[in-house]
C-alpha cells in the first residue's frame, strides 16, 4: 500500500493533517482510507468525518454523471 500526508488549512489557518492510504484491490480497484489528525475537538472531528465521507463518495462516482 502507499500513503500520502498533507497539511489541511482553511483561510490560512491550519486544521491538522490528513493521511491518505491507498491499498490495491482485485479488479483494478483501490481502497482509500483517510485519517485526519490534529483536530481541536470532538465537534471538529465529526464535521471533518462527514466531509471526508462525502468526498470519498463523490470521487467514487463515475465522471460525467449528473448525480
Amino acid at each position: 500500500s502507499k500513503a500520502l500526508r498533507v497539511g489541511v488549512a482553511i483561510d490560512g489557518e491550519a486544521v491538522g493533517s490528513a493521511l491518505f492510504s491507498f491499498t490495491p484491490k482485485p479488479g483494478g480497484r483501490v481502497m482509500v482510507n483517510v485519517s485526519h489528525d490534529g483536530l481541536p475537538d470532538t465537534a471538529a472531528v465529526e464535521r471533518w468525518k462527514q466531509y471526508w465521507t462525502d468526498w470519498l463518495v463523490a470521487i467514487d462516482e463515475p465522471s460525467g454523471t449528473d448525480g
Side-chain angles (χ1 to χ4, degrees):
S1 75
K2 302 288 182 179
L4 170 70
R5 181 175 296 279
V6 295
V8 180
I10 296 178
D11 297 329
E13 184 176 337
V15 287
S17 64
L19 175 66
F20 297 85
S21 300
F22 307 91
T23 305
K25 293 296 191 181
R29 307 247 325 148
V30 174
M31 181 173 65
V32 180
N33 290 306
V34 181
S35 174
H36 193 146
D37 300 323
L39 294 169
D41 54 39
T42 305
V45 169
E46 290 305 314
R47 283 193 305 274
W48 280 99
K49 187 178 191 179
Q50 187 60 55
Y51 173 84
W52 291 120
T53 297
D54 294 344
W55 184 78
L56 288 168
V57 168
I59 65 169
D60 192 41
E61 293 175 355
S63 61
T65 63
D66 291 47

